[in-house]
Amino acid sequence: MCLAVPGRIEDFTCEEPFKMALVDFCGVKREVCLDTVDDAKVGDYVVAHAGVAISVMDEATAQETINDLEEMARYRDEQLSSPSELWLP
C-alpha cells in the first residue's frame, strides 16, 4: 500500500527543467516536483507521493490528515509495546 502525505511548501528550489520545491513533511524536508499542480505557492500544503505533488490541500484538511496519521502512529506504538496484543500472520 502507498500513502500520499501532506507537506508544507517552504521554498522553491528550481524552475527548469522541473519546478521543484523544498517541502516540510512534519519536520522531514524533501524536494518535491510541483509541475503537476498549478499555482502552488510557498506556505501551501501539497499532497505528495513518490516525490511528486499530486494536489494542493487547504491547511485545515492538511492538519486533520497529519493529526490522523500521528494518531495511527501512536496506536501502532502502543500495540508494539504489548507483545500479547500483536497481530499474528
Side-chain angles (χ1 to χ4, degrees), residues 15-74:
E15 290 287 331
E16 295 293 330
F18 303 107
K19 186 175 183 180
M20 302 294 290
L22 183 65
V23 178
D24 182 347
F25 298 96
C26 299
V28 177
K29 297 178 184 185
R30 296 285 186 257
E31 208 168 29
V32 172
C33 179
L34 299 179
D35 278 345
T36 52
V37 294
D38 293 330
D39 303 325
K41 57 190 176 305
V42 171
D44 284 350
Y45 282 83
V46 292
V47 176
H49 174 70
V52 178
I54 56 177
S55 68
V56 176
M57 178 183 276
D58 66 85
E59 183 174 2
T61 304
Q63 285 301 324
E64 186 177 325
T65 302
I66 290 166
N67 292 341
D68 289 345
L69 292 170
E70 289 172 345
E71 184 177 334
M72 288 171 25
R74 279 191 300 277

